[in-house]
Amino acid sequence: MYTIYAKFTSHIPPINHKQLYLESGQDLERCQRGIVYIDEIDKIRKSGGNVSISRDVSGEGVQHALLKIVEGNVINVPKEPGRKNPRGDFIQIDTTNILFISGGAFAGLEQIINKRMDAASIGFGATMKKNIEDFKVQGKYFDSAIPKDLTNFGMIPEYVGRFPVIVSTKGLDEKSLVDILTVPKNSLMKQYNFQFAMNGVRFHATECALKEIAKMAFKRGSGARGLRSITENILMETMFVVPSLDKVHTVYLDAAAVRGERKPILLKHKDMTAERFEELLQGGETWEDLDGAELVELEDDEDEAA
């Protein structure tokens, strides 16, 4: 209910920090023609057995509570959300013309579909076992999902029946992960550019470095959320070392540094830009032969004491 409440009160200025009020009937009318997206719906799947008699921990009760809302009824929504005033005023909302969209990862659903479509068999014409870990195979399985698969997953038939259209999304490939690193307004690469620029240092990541980061995230299966953990591990020492160095003007990150073969390279010479550095490397030079280029090195306490 609070999700629906937030939809038509988010644009209203609050009276105070704890309460929001519906100022006109026009806001209610707009709410009754809105779109509500219910995320992580797979987390309320029902469990196999009754774990507790006094408390519903399976998630089935939550699905039953959502039935009346998503099917199109007049429901009562608290005017002042919170537990301090459980008997407060309610607002009646007709959800008939509200579009409800449920989504989730549904991890493990591909195994249920695999058992239905590719049952184990022997002899001539037998179905060969498929690699369910492959994201392309998973995508084909999700495209073939039917309501029965969702009920076997743990969703109650009444809830699945409220959503007549089942659509699956494709997994992120390496190219999409590279775009996530660079294209959005607050992409990771732009954030690192801003962080290093605060110390007057330019951050330069090569195309091969971006592809290597995307490749690592793709192999881990962590998706876009895994990009930050990978880049943080790669640039952790660099972000600590660079502020204490005066002559460094560029941090150069390539595929070798991403793979862990060596640390990122710091450019110190004023004429050694990242573009010039790449030209010399393509000409057959190595970073050890170039003046003003060195690796990130975190000094030990013993060296400082000496």
Side-chain angles (χ1 to χ4, degrees):
M1 292 184 180
Y2 291 148
T3 303
I4 302 174
Y5 178 84
K7 287 295 181 181
F8 67 87
T9 58
S10 59
H11 66 284
I12 303 174
I15 303 300
N16 53 46
H17 295 288
K18 297 183 179 180
Q19 297 178 345
L20 295 174
Y21 294 96
L22 192 63
E23 292 182 347
S24 64
Q26 183 180 2
D27 299 317
L28 179 60
E29 183 180 354
R30 293 176 60 187
C31 165
Q32 295 178 151
R33 292 180 286 105
I35 300 175
V36 176
Y37 179 76
I38 308 175
D39 197 9
E40 304 289 354
I41 198 65
D42 56 317
K43 303 304 184 293
I44 59 173
R45 57 185 289 189
K46 63 178 181 179
S47 59
N50 293 328
V51 182
S52 176
I53 299 177
S54 61
R55 182 182 295 272
D56 176 36
V57 295
S58 65
E60 183 177 358
V62 181
Q63 296 185 51
H64 283 287
L66 290 172
L67 290 178
K68 185 178 180 181
I69 300 176
V70 300
E71 70 182 357
N73 277 317
V74 178
I75 60 174
N76 295 323
V77 178
K79 185 176 181 180
E80 302 175 15
R83 297 183 178 180
K84 294 183 178 180
N85 190 17
R87 297 185 179 180
D89 297 334
F90 289 89
I91 301 174
Q92 289 188 338
I93 300 177
D94 187 3
T95 63
T96 304
N97 297 322
I98 296 179
L99 174 62
F100 288 92
I101 304 174
S102 295
F106 290 93
L109 181 62
E110 67 277 4
Q111 300 179 3
I112 298 175
I113 303 175
N114 173 258
K115 292 179 181 179
R116 175 176 59 85
M117 297 181 59
D118 301 324
S121 59
I122 60 175
F124 295 102
T127 303
M128 301 299 294
K129 184 178 181 181
K130 297 182 180 179
N131 183 16
I132 304 180
E133 301 297 330
D134 187 0
F135 82 101
K136 293 183 179 179
V137 176
Q138 291 182 4
K140 292 181 180 179
Y141 278 142
F142 285 134
D143 290 337
S144 305
I146 60 177
K148 183 179 179 182
D149 298 326
L150 297 177
T151 55
N152 292 334
F153 181 80
M155 310 302 295
I156 61 176
E158 295 86 351
Y159 187 82
V160 177
R162 300 298 194 279
F163 297 88
V165 180
I166 300 176
V167 179
S168 65
T169 57
K170 302 297 182 182
L172 296 173
D173 55 6
E174 296 181 12
K175 183 179 181 302
S176 301
L177 292 173
V178 172
D179 292 338
I180 293 174
L181 280 171
T182 55
V183 175
K185 180 180 179 180
N186 296 323
S187 64
L188 280 177
M189 292 300 105
K190 294 178 182 178
Q191 292 181 29
Y192 285 115
N193 286 333
F194 178 79
Q195 291 181 15
F196 284 108
M198 294 176 65
N199 297 303
V201 178
R202 178 191 176 191
F203 175 69
H204 180 80
T206 63
E207 288 292 333
C208 60
L210 297 176
K211 293 180 180 179
E212 194 67 26
I213 295 174
K215 184 178 179 180
M216 293 174 63
F218 181 78
K219 287 184 177 180
R220 294 182 182 182
S222 54
R225 291 185 177 91
L227 295 174
R228 178 173 291 277
S229 62
I230 295 174
T231 51
E232 283 290 332
N233 292 332
I234 296 170
L235 298 173
M236 182 66 70
E237 292 186 7
T238 306
M239 289 188 291
F240 277 102
V241 170
V242 167
S244 61
L245 302 176
D246 298 332
K247 297 182 179 180
V248 175
H249 60 79
T250 302
V251 174
Y252 185 85
L253 180 68
D254 57 359
V258 174
R259 290 192 296 264
E261 299 175 1
R262 55 169 171 76
K263 301 293 180 65
I265 299 176
L266 303 178
L267 302 181
K268 292 186 175 182
H269 198 281
K270 61 180 181 179
D271 297 330
M272 185 63 69
T273 61
E275 292 74 15
R276 176 60 178 167
F277 184 73
E278 288 184 344
E279 292 179 1
L280 295 176
L281 293 180
Q282 294 176 359
E285 299 284 346
T286 61
W287 70 268
E288 295 94 339
D289 301 331
L290 300 177
D291 185 22
E294 64 180 37
L295 298 180
V296 175
E297 185 176 357
L298 190 63
E299 298 181 357
D300 296 333
D301 295 337
E302 296 180 356
D303 298 338
E304 294 179 357

